[in-house]
Each structure stands twice: as structure tokens, then as C-alpha cells.
Amino acid sequence: MRFISLAWRNTRRNSRRTLLTLIAFATGVAALVFAWSMFDGGNAQMIDNMTGNYSGYIQIHRYGYTDDPSVDRTFSAQDTGALKLEQIPGVAALSPRMETSALISHANNTRGLLLVGVDPGLEPSVTTLHRKIVRGRYFDKTERGSILIGKSLAKVLDVDIGGEVAIITQGLQGSIGAARYRVQGLYDTQNEVVDNAQAFITHADAEDLLSSGGQITTVAVKLTDREFSESVVQEMQGRLGNQFEVEGWQQLLPEVSQAVAFHESLGYVFTFILFGVVVIGVTNTVMMSIMERLREFGVLLAIGTSPLQLFRLILYESLLLGLLGFAIGLVIGYSLVAYYGSVGITFTQSGEAMQTMQGVANGLYPHLSLSRMLFIAVAVLIVIVTAALYPAWKTARLVPVQAIHGLMSNRNGSGKGISSSHILSRFMLLTLALRNLTRHSRRSRLTMVAIAFGLGAFIFIGSIANGYYTQIVENSTGMLTGDAQIQHKDFRSNMKLALSLSNGMPLLEDLQRMPSIAGASPRIQTTAMITSAVKSEPIMLAGVDPDLERQVTFLHQSVKEGHYLQKGHDRDIVIGRKLAELLHVKIGERVVVMAQDVDGNLGSEAFVVAGMFYTGGHGFDKATAHITLAASQKMLAMGNNVTSIALKIDNPKHVAPVLAQIASHVPPGDMRLLTWQALLPEVVQMNAITKQSLGGVLIIVLLMLAVVVMNTVLMSVMERTREFGTMLALGSRPGLIVRLVLLESSIMGIIGTLGGVALGILLVLMHMSGGVSMAAHGVSTAIPGITDVVYPALSVDVLIMPTILLPILALVAAFYPALRASRLEPMQAIRNG
């Protein structure tokens, strides 16, 4: 207890040093608490929204259904009901379902989605969909002939309450199911991607549509707490046996599970960077505290204090300092969490980007769990102990006599003085500054290492983010949109074939004569249903001119099996490898494509799978198919019309003037020239979110580094008080003292910055060829262009900006210590130094 009291007194001895260290530590803890609360809040929202709106926490299927979700893999509800699964501890409710992929259409609008037949009496006990109805009402227990769809899907289909929609799907044993349903209610989960992807009918209607004979494909399970998921899955699997598969939300919602894992990875990286800087800063602070108290420690050792007791004293001081900083940071962080946890953080400027993440709405409510709090506490404890070990060890090895004389030495007898008072002319400032930095090389090295570590880590993480975005843009424009497209002004929002370009072909010929355009490809795009002998899946169907499409996009380069489309081969179709796996088809096998034509009639054609592409973007590979332009025009009764013209600019550096030139060729009316930024706003918004996040990380890292530099320079000034007093007494001007201190700080800032740049570039070069695998970190493939591997890419924002800011910051951080040194009273400084 005596040592704890002494440690507390020592932390208060130099209030400025303690305050600066507390600021650094508290800033890091507050930033970490708030960052983790954002991650945890977003994760909880995704999980609860997706399980509450649709999936439930657990689902039961016939064995093999997950790999091949076919309506033929059905079972009877009585098969599971006899086992009394609802009595398992942690289970709140169960609801049987019949699920299948389907096409929904109204007038001339068609979309692919997941159709779910539910029991109106049991479903509300498992999901919250009935509480998300914003117009109309939920099913009653005897409901027939009704359907619930998302509000955003209703807008796309141009249908309202009471309107009729047509459903086409594949039933059991290869049968085709078709029926009309009255729109009974519109729901809104605050996520358009989810709301556009599913619709609900009653189980009785699903039985008629699919000829299922009362069979079901799924039992959805609600839990009293999602923490019971693993134990309940194991218990259910044990009771049901190997004829069934029981899956928790992690398997049911892989993109959500991956997003959670990705956020966890980001959190750990953020923790590593922040606390890495803090460790170095606290170590430096403790070392400086030891240097100025060498005589005190020497006396303590001389009167019988053991090295172990001195070790404990330093460790206690660090613990007190760290725990106090932790408490302050925790209060600040939790205050932010409490405020934003009640009002939420809105993303109105990045709504489309946020809504590509399953279960995420436009608002986020930060939340920090007790387990996360314990993790941060353990991390803080490790940081404190790590930062204190080396200084405490150095103190315990002091030689009493040498320490009393102000010498830092070890038990082997080597030592170095800590003070000197050589006076050099102003023209030798650089020599003097370098000598002062090398006088206490450990302190200088620690400060420069802190700068290098923080900057290097930021450059590497920023380069990954930059490569991530660059890759998204290149892949999405190269495989999907081109650099720009000409469309009807309303086509992008509702994809109606009637909104076609009637004079598209003359315009195409005009554009092809422009030397600034590398390629122009006419297209027909629509939603469709593709069916094999065993399965049906909704897709985005593109009819393209094979030769012209090669000039605009590079999807043909991603064909790994078979070949891309060829002109005149109008019975060929090219699909993604993932889609081929779902359909159980191989090269040369037939599939049937069904879509609504321009007149609202159902058109269908049989095609032969000529090629399979693999882009690494799973969402794209399982939902995209290409046929020839001629085949699509025939199947959809389009004549010579097209829905869009995709463009490739010859020189990306001259995009703006080229687009202006192209716009002048677009005839007045409803036709519009849309850049890829307008076609893919979610990609642009995701980049904005990434840049904002990097900016926040940079500000925090720079702030903490500024505190470290200021602390270092201030302690250097304080221990050289007698030296500065002597210089002033011998006629040195205060301005010379200021320049000397600022020069020392600038040298540390420049060397640390150069080291950080070298470290960051080295890390980037090490990963530039092989890339960084993101599959294990849960990158969502809902955003166009995202793939499993990211190749880091340096940019001006990531490299130049912090490289310029850090030396300037080191200079600014040293201004107060320099000013303080220049204002010393010579005689008092010499006497009390």
C-alpha cells in the first residue's frame, strides 16, 4: 500500500506530463469505445433485422437443402412436430414455411424474388414482418389469394393496395406454377435491397401454386436470446438426426455473418494501431519520468530499497496513469455512445451504399456490450503493463552511486550523463539539435518509432481501402456498366422494356464515329427467370452484341469454361459459375429463360450453356446471364430497339470533355447520358463512407502522435532547464532557443515520417502481387464489383497528405515547449535546474 501511495504522489509531481499522457490515453480509449460501439451496434442491427424480418435465428430443412434449395426437398411438419422442439430451452416459437424462387410481374414490370408461403397464425410469433406493414394489413388466418410485398418493390412494379400481380415459379416435380394475387399489404424494413428480394403469401396459397400437398421446405425458429443459437442447433440436430439439417443465423445469413466478421477485423486493426501508438507514448513518458528522477531512485536504492520494490513502484505508477486515462476515455466514449445510441446516426447521404448491406437501414444506433467492455479493459491492461515493463526493468538495474550523480547506467557499469551545457553559435543549431537528440537516443527512437508505426499502419490500411475502391470501380464498369450509358431517363429506376431507345441504332452509329470513344455497345436488360431440369433462379438478363460488347467490357475475359457469345450463335447463353452450380447445369446443357416482353406477355426461349464466367463477385456470378442482342430482341418482341448503349471512353483522363461531347449528340427528349457514378451511386457512396472513416482514423492517429511529440519535447526542455538558463545568461536570444527546440522536433518528425512512409510502402509492395484475401473477413458481395481479393494501391490522399501533415504537426506540437524554454529566467533556471 505504501508503494501505491508513493506512486500516486509521483504521478502528480509533474502535472503537465501526466495531463499530456492522460490526454493521449483517454483519446485512444474514447475512440476505441466509440468505434467498437459502432461496429457492435451495426452488427446487432443487421442480425436482429434480418432474423426478425425474415429468417428467424434458426431454420430446419431437409438434408441438402442449403446447397441445393429446391422445392423438391420438402418434408411434412408432422415429421418435426412429434419431437416437441418448441420445448427445448431457449426456443420461443416455430413457424413452418414453403419457399421458392419466383418471378413477380404487374403490367409490363417484372422482378425476380424469393416467394415465401407462411402460416398467418404462427409466423408473427417468429418474425416481426406484421409490424412493418405501412399500408394495407397483414394476413388473417383464413386469408386466400393475397400477397405482401415491399413498399419499394410496389413502386418498381407500379402497383398499389388492391392491385393484382402475377407470380410464375417452378413447382414440385418440375411443374410450372402460375397464379394472380391481390396486394394485401406493403411492408417497409428500411432496407430496399431486402424489401425488393422477397414476397409473402399464405401457406395454403403456396400449396396450390406449387402442388406441394401440404409439404414444407423450412421451419423457422425464434429464440429467447440469440446467444442460445449454438446450443439449440446442437440439441435440435441431435433430435432430428441426419435426415435434416439445422442451421443458425450464421449459416442462414452468410453475408451478415461475414459482415460481422469484417467489422470485428476492422475493430482489431483499429485497436492495434491506436494502442500501438499509446504503448510507445506511455513508455516514452515513463522513461522521461525516470530520467528526471535518477537521483531520487539512486537514494532509494542506497538506503536499502530493493530493485524489485523499485520495479513495482514504476509499474504501479504506469497502472495508475493508465487506469485513470482509461476511466476518462471510458466516460467520454460512453457519453458519445449514450447520446448517439438514443438519437441514432443517420446515413441519408449514403443510403444506397448502406442498403447494400443486408439488414442495415439508413440509421445506426451504437451499442457496446459487456463482453466488448471486458475486451477493451483487458487490452488496456496489456497496454499498460507492456508500456511499463522496459522502463521498470531499466530502473531496477540502476547503480545507486551513478544514479545519485545523475547517470543512467546498468549493473554492468556503463553509463551516460544526462546533462550538458555546451554553447554553440546559431550557425551550429543543426549540430546542437542532433547532439541533443542522440543524448537520449532511447527517447528519440521511441518517439520516431511511434510516428513511423502510426503513419506506416495508416498508409497500409489506406492503400487497402484505396485498392478496394479502385477495384470496385474497375470491375463494375469493366463487367457491368461501362464508363457511361445512354438510357431513357426513367429506365434505371423501374427497368421497363417500354422505356427503350427507339432511335438507338442511328445514335450508335453516330457515337462509333467519334474518335474519343473506344467502344459503344447496344444492350437490352431485363429481369428474368432461368430454369434447368431441376431448378429455377431469378436473374438479370442482358442481350448484347458479342463483338461490340468486347470493346466496352471485359466480362469475356472472365469466362473460365466454354466460350463467350459469338455473333450469329443466338441459341447460346453465358452464365456465372455460381449460377451454374445452383442450376446443376454444365457446358452444352439446356436451360429455359422466361421474361415479360415489351407488350406484357410472357416470352420464353431455350438456350444452350456455351460458357461460364467467374469474376470473384458471388452476387454477380449467381444472378447474371448474357445472350445475344438478336436473341433478346426476338424473345422480348423489341424489334430493333435497345434499352441502353454502354460506352467506353478512349482516354480516362479526358472523361469530362468527352462526356460533354457525347451529350451534345444525344437528341433532346427523354434520353439521358448517365456516367458510371450515376449508374452505381452505391459505389460512390461507399467510397465516401470509406474516406470519412479513414479521415477519422487519421485525425485520431495524428492527435495521439502530436501528444507523444509534445510530451517528448516538453520533458526534454524540462530536464535541460539549467542548460537553457546558461545559454540565456551568456547572451543567447530567446528566439535561438525556440528555433533549437523546434528544429529538434522537426528532425524527429521528418525521420519518423520517412520511416513511416518506408514501412507503409514496404507493406504495400509485399501484398501488391498476391493481394489481401478478404474472403475470411466477410466482404459483402452485394455491392457491384467486389471480389474476394483486394490489391492495395497507393494514392495521393493516403501517402502525400499524412506525409506532409506529420512534420508540420511535430513542429506545431513543439511550439509550446519551445516558447516555455525561451521564457526561462536565467538565474532561476540555473539554480533550480
Side-chain angles (χ1 to χ4, degrees):
M1 196 67 187
R2 182 177 72 254
F3 283 97
I4 294 178
S5 177
L6 184 60
W8 175 247
R9 190 201 66 178
N10 289 335
T11 58
R12 293 182 298 163
R13 172 184 293 179
N14 192 319
S15 58
R16 289 186 182 90
R17 180 185 65 224
T18 300
L19 180 61
L20 286 170
T21 305
L22 289 178
I23 289 173
F25 216 137
T27 301
V29 171
L32 191 62
V33 166
F34 189 68
W36 272 116
S37 73
M38 290 280 287
F39 295 145
D40 287 347
N43 291 342
Q45 183 176 329
M46 283 191 292
I47 296 168
D48 293 342
N49 284 352
M50 290 303 293
T51 57
N53 291 336
Y54 167 65
S55 71
Y57 289 111
I58 294 173
Q59 287 187 8
I60 302 170
H61 303 115
R62 177 73 71 185
Y63 180 77
Y65 182 86
T66 301
D67 294 331
D68 181 17
S70 169
V71 291
D72 289 322
R73 296 184 183 275
T74 59
F75 58 95
S76 171
Q78 284 72 28
D79 295 343
T80 60
L83 298 174
K84 298 182 179 180
L85 300 177
E86 67 277 3
Q87 296 180 6
I88 295 175
V91 175
L94 297 90
S95 178
R97 295 174 177 171
M98 189 69 186
E99 303 173 349
T100 186
S101 298
L103 278 180
I104 184 171
S105 61
H106 174 259
N108 294 338
N109 303 315
T110 304
R111 284 291 183 274
L113 46 67
L114 178 69
L115 185 67
V116 186
V118 299
D119 185 316
L122 297 176
E123 187 67 19
S125 64
V126 173
T127 60
T128 59
L129 185 69
H130 59 290
R131 296 204 294 264
K132 303 295 177 69
I133 302 296
V134 292
R135 295 194 60 191
R137 61 173 176 82
Y138 192 69
F139 301 126
D140 60 42
K141 292 185 178 181
T142 60
E143 196 82 44
R144 295 299 298 267
S146 298
I147 191 170
L148 304 177
I149 62 175
K151 183 180 72 172
S152 54
L153 179 59
K155 182 179 179 181
V156 170
L157 295 176
D158 194 20
V159 66
D160 206 341
I161 299 296
E164 279 195 343
V165 295
I167 293 289
I168 299 175
T169 186
Q170 186 179 38
L172 271 68
Q173 306 302 322
S175 62
I176 297 296
R180 290 185 173 274
Y181 299 97
R182 179 183 67 259
V183 177
Q184 184 65 55
L186 305 180
Y187 59 85
D188 184 9
T189 67
Q190 298 297 306
N191 189 298
E192 290 188 10
V193 172
V194 175
D195 292 351
N196 284 335
Q198 56 196 24
F200 297 84
I201 59 177
T202 65
H203 188 271
D205 283 336
E207 182 179 346
D208 292 341
L209 176 69
L210 302 172
S211 304
S212 61
Q215 297 286 295
I216 59 175
T217 59
T218 306
V219 173
V221 182
K222 181 180 180 180
L223 302 177
T224 55
D225 192 308
R226 69 169 178 266
E227 299 299 326
F228 295 135
S229 177
E230 185 175 347
S231 62
V232 172
V233 166
Q234 292 177 354
E235 177 65 22
M236 286 186 170
Q237 190 68 71
R239 295 192 183 191
L240 290 168
N242 56 15
Q243 291 185 333
F244 292 88
E245 54 189 21
V246 184
E247 296 182 309
W249 64 266
Q250 296 92 335
Q251 294 77 40
L252 297 170
L253 305 169
E255 290 189 352
V256 172
S257 180
Q258 291 167 359
V260 170
F262 186 48
H263 293 161
E264 293 274 347
S265 300
L266 288 178
Y268 290 130
V269 169
F270 194 51
T271 302
F272 178 71
I273 293 175
L274 287 183
F275 280 168
V277 175
V278 168
V279 164
I280 299 171
V282 172
T283 301
N284 211 358
T285 299
V286 178
M287 282 297 298
M288 287 184 286
S289 172
I290 293 170
M291 298 292 289
E292 71 179 27
R293 293 154 57 199
L294 280 177
R295 291 179 177 86
E296 175 187 328
F297 292 140
V299 170
L300 287 173
L301 289 168
I303 63 176
T305 303
S306 70
L308 180 60
Q309 289 175 322
L310 211 55
F311 183 93
R312 286 169 51 197
L313 176 63
I314 299 301
L315 190 60
Y316 289 160
E317 289 181 22
S318 300
L319 285 171
L320 287 172
L321 203 62
L323 293 175
L324 185 58
F326 173 70
I328 296 172
L330 190 61
V331 170
I332 297 172
Y334 255 111
S335 299
L336 292 172
V337 173
Y339 174 74
Y340 287 108
S342 61
V343 303
I345 301 173
T346 59
F347 298 94
T348 54
Q349 299 300 315
S350 306
E352 291 186 63
M354 294 300 295
Q355 290 182 3
T356 60
M357 304 175 192
Q358 287 198 44
V360 176
N362 289 341
L364 190 149
Y365 295 85
H367 165 73
L368 194 68
S369 64
L370 177 61
S371 61
R372 190 66 67 202
M373 178 63 229
L374 292 175
F375 163 76
I376 295 175
V378 171
V380 167
L381 182 62
I382 293 173
V383 165
I384 295 170
V385 173
T386 302
L389 284 177
Y390 177 70
W393 176 75
K394 289 292 292 183
T395 305
R397 300 182 73 228
L398 289 173
V399 177
V401 175
Q402 292 181 344
I404 292 173
H405 286 84
L407 297 176
M408 185 74 170
S409 64
N410 55 34
R411 294 288 174 177
N412 296 325
S414 62
K416 186 180 291 187
I418 67 167
S419 65
S420 179
S421 57
H422 294 288
I423 306 300
L424 300 178
S425 70
R426 66 176 62 192
F427 301 105
M428 300 298 291
L429 276 179
L430 180 60
T431 302
L432 183 59
L434 291 172
R435 191 207 64 157
N436 288 332
L437 291 177
T438 56
R439 176 190 295 177
H440 298 303
S441 58
R442 291 186 185 89
R443 178 178 62 210
S444 301
R445 285 200 303 267
L446 281 170
T447 303
M448 290 185 286
V449 166
I451 295 173
F453 174 81
L455 178 59
F458 176 80
I459 289 174
F460 181 59
I461 299 301
S463 297
I464 290 178
N466 183 60
Y468 182 61
Y469 175 69
T470 301
Q471 213 168 309
I472 292 175
V473 173
E474 291 177 351
N475 288 344
S476 55
T477 57
M479 294 186 297
L480 188 63
T481 65
D483 294 327
Q485 288 189 17
I486 298 174
Q487 301 177 349
H488 187 282
K489 62 183 180 65
D490 297 324
F491 180 75
R492 178 180 174 271
S493 60
N494 53 38
M495 300 284 289
K496 291 182 180 178
L497 291 176
L499 301 175
S500 60
L501 308 179
S502 56
N503 59 344
M505 301 315 289
L507 176 61
L508 174 67
E509 296 174 359
D510 189 20
L511 293 171
Q512 289 174 331
R513 287 192 290 268
M514 295 176 61
S516 54
I517 296 179
S521 177
R523 293 178 176 177
I524 293 177
Q525 293 174 277
T526 189
T527 56
M529 179 73 76
I530 186 169
T531 304
S532 67
V534 297
K535 190 77 187 306
S536 296
E537 288 290 331
I539 58 169
M540 178 61 66
L541 181 69
V544 300
D545 183 302
D547 296 335
L548 297 179
E549 187 68 18
R550 284 182 171 87
Q551 300 174 10
V552 176
T553 62
F554 52 75
L555 183 64
H556 60 282
Q557 297 175 1
S558 300
V559 174
K560 305 301 181 184
E561 297 181 53
H563 59 80
Y564 190 64
L565 299 174
Q566 298 174 353
K567 202 155 190 173
H569 293 231
D570 296 335
R571 296 269 63 85
D572 286 351
I573 187 170
V574 175
I575 62 177
R577 182 186 293 173
K578 183 65 176 178
L579 179 58
E581 292 174 359
L582 292 174
L583 296 174
H584 295 277
V585 295
K586 299 178 180 179
I587 299 295
E589 295 184 350
R590 291 182 176 273
V591 294
V592 174
V593 177
M594 295 181 291
Q596 199 172 33
D597 67 19
V598 69
D599 300 319
N601 301 315
L602 184 64
S604 65
E605 292 286 348
F607 295 92
V608 175
V609 178
M612 299 179 191
F613 54 81
Y614 176 75
T615 66
H618 304 313
F620 184 85
D621 289 355
K622 73 177 182 181
T624 307
H626 280 204
I627 59 176
T628 65
L629 180 64
S632 63
Q633 288 174 329
K634 177 184 176 183
M635 185 178 77
L636 302 173
M638 293 286 290
N640 290 323
N641 292 350
V642 296
T643 60
S644 59
I645 298 175
L647 304 171
K648 176 72 173 178
I649 307 301
D650 183 54
N651 190 344
K653 295 181 180 179
H654 301 152
V655 169
V658 172
L659 291 178
Q661 182 184 8
I662 295 172
S664 66
H665 286 254
V666 177
D670 294 330
M671 212 178 288
R672 294 288 186 273
L673 173 66
L674 302 176
T675 63
W676 71 262
Q677 291 92 335
L679 294 166
L680 300 168
E682 62 271 30
V683 174
V684 179
Q685 292 165 1
M686 184 57 67
N687 181 50
I689 292 173
T690 302
K691 284 188 174 181
Q692 290 169 7
S693 301
L694 282 176
V697 172
L698 179 60
I699 289 172
I700 293 170
V701 170
L702 289 179
L703 177 61
M704 296 179 66
L705 290 176
V707 174
V708 170
V709 172
M710 184 182 294
N711 208 346
T712 300
V713 178
L714 184 59
M715 291 304 103
S716 173
V717 167
M718 291 175 65
E719 73 182 30
R720 292 154 59 199
T721 300
R722 182 180 288 111
E723 178 180 322
F724 288 133
T726 303
M727 291 176 67
L728 291 168
L730 293 177
S732 295
R733 295 179 180 180
L736 183 66
I737 304 296
V738 171
R739 291 199 299 273
L740 175 62
V741 174
L742 293 181
L743 183 58
E744 292 174 15
S745 178
S746 297
I747 292 173
M748 285 193 297
I750 292 171
I751 295 176
T753 299
L754 293 175
V757 170
L759 175 62
I761 293 176
L762 178 63
L763 290 172
V764 170
L765 292 176
M766 288 171 59
H767 294 83
M768 190 169 285
S769 59
V772 179
S773 175
M774 306 300 288
H777 300 287
V779 172
S780 170
T781 56
I783 299 175
I786 292 182
T787 59
D788 290 340
V789 179
V790 174
Y791 298 89
L794 291 168
S795 68
V796 173
D797 291 344
V798 170
L799 185 60
I800 304 299
M801 188 64 67
T803 301
I804 294 174
L805 286 177
L806 262 177
I808 296 174
L809 188 68
L811 194 65
V812 172
F815 184 76
Y816 168 71
L819 193 63
R820 190 171 183 272
S822 69
R823 292 180 176 178
L824 291 171
E825 290 292 335
M827 296 308 298
Q828 186 178 358
I830 293 171
R831 185 181 305 113
N832 299 327

